[in-house]
Amino acid sequence: MLVRIPQLLSVEQITALRQRLEDAGGDWVDGRATAGTQGVKVKRNQQIAENSQTARELGDMVLTALERNPLFISATLPNRVYPPMFNRYEGGMHFGAHVDNAVRLLPGTGIKFRTDVSATLFLSAPEEYEGGELVMEDTYGAHSAKLSAGDVVVYPSSSLHHVTPVTRGVRLACVFWVQSLVSDDADRSLLFDLDNSIQRLTTDSPQHPSLVRLTNVYHNLLRRWVQV
């Protein structure tokens, strides 16, 4: 399931975040520092060091916004969110076709983290750079995303995906992963559609007698599928 989450961050937040990234200086490192065996062969970008104060503070800003976003909660049903990472592409940098590691270690904890949902938060406006499309593949073909600054796209971590070369300008983005309460993408998609239908019915016909029954179905499906 591929979902666009518009305006996770405001214009003011994006401006402040980008200023911090521009001032980061030595916090920028080779993106291959966090790549797996497969990714290190095709990853060509820069990223803010995971253990830096910049990464922690900006990551907290993103996590706070995620906690307050109903669409993100509904689409991903988060159990844990991996600390956001910030990257930069310019001068032909790209990230070739790869699949995200199924399991990651939470930095500094030794705790294993299953990646169910991948997410990219775009920090540069589309007109600021050429190339840099995030291309995701599923059974229906390839889907390209180059969203407005502040928008997020979430998609199954099992998807083969790549970032096309940036041939002009600079592409700034934030990436993170979600360990969902519901690990199966098809089950999450069903729950997402059901939740959206309940929300629309609540708006259009708040006294409709089916609302209680549909909500009951939603939560009982959660009880069947949730892993905690």
Side-chain angles (χ1 to χ4, degrees):
M1 179 177 64
L2 189 155
V3 178
R4 177 177 182 170
I5 301 171
Q7 298 178 330
L8 176 75
L9 298 182
S10 67
V11 173
E12 293 76 17
Q13 288 175 310
I14 289 291
T15 300
L17 192 154
R18 289 184 55 165
Q19 186 61 55
R20 286 291 306 276
L21 293 179
E22 289 178 9
D23 296 339
D27 286 342
W28 287 105
V29 299
D30 191 321
R32 287 174 290 186
T34 57
T37 304
Q38 177 196 51
V40 73
K41 301 175 183 177
V42 294
K43 187 178 185 182
R44 299 293 182 271
N45 67 5
Q46 294 178 309
Q47 66 187 36
I48 295 292
E50 281 189 288
N51 60 353
S52 68
Q53 183 176 350
T54 300
R56 290 192 297 270
E57 292 180 355
L58 296 185
D60 286 344
M61 179 192 298
V62 174
L63 291 173
T64 298
L66 292 173
E67 291 172 356
R68 299 173 178 174
N69 190 285
L71 182 56
F72 171 76
I73 301 299
S74 178
T76 68
L77 297 172
N79 184 13
R80 294 173 175 169
V81 178
Y82 192 89
M85 300 166 58
F86 300 87
N87 58 41
R88 177 171 65 193
Y89 293 78
E90 60 183 328
M93 291 180 179
H94 63 283
F95 199 162
H98 65 285
V99 64
D100 291 334
N101 292 343
V103 177
R104 300 183 72 95
L105 289 176
L106 286 171
T109 68
I111 297 173
K112 293 179 180 179
F113 179 102
R114 187 187 66 244
T115 59
D116 298 317
V117 181
S118 299
T120 296
L121 164 61
F122 289 79
L123 302 175
S124 299
E127 61 271 16
E128 293 184 81
Y129 60 98
E130 291 182 1
E133 290 87 359
L134 171 63
V135 181
M136 300 144 286
E137 299 180 23
D138 61 19
T139 54
Y140 298 100
H143 308 273
S144 178
K146 187 175 181 178
L147 306 184
S148 300
D151 289 4
V152 178
V153 60
V154 299
Y155 55 97
S157 296
S158 56
S159 301
L160 191 67
H161 56 284
H162 66 276
V163 177
T164 64
V166 172
T167 57
R168 179 186 65 81
V170 178
R171 176 193 190 266
L172 295 171
C174 168
V175 299
F176 55 92
W177 296 270
V178 178
Q179 180 174 302
S180 178
L181 290 166
V182 177
S183 61
D184 185 80
D185 181 61
D187 293 342
R188 282 197 312 275
S189 181
L190 183 62
L191 288 166
F192 181 62
D193 288 342
L194 180 56
D195 188 33
N196 281 341
S197 297
I198 292 171
Q199 298 306 319
R200 285 195 294 268
L201 187 57
T202 300
T203 300
D204 297 341
S205 185
Q207 303 304 319
H208 198 288
S210 294
L211 267 173
V212 173
R213 291 189 176 276
L214 286 172
T215 303
N216 183 59
V217 170
Y218 177 84
H219 285 281
N220 283 333
L221 286 174
L222 277 177
R223 288 187 180 93
R224 282 178 175 266
W225 294 336
V226 159
Q227 301 169 349
V228 294

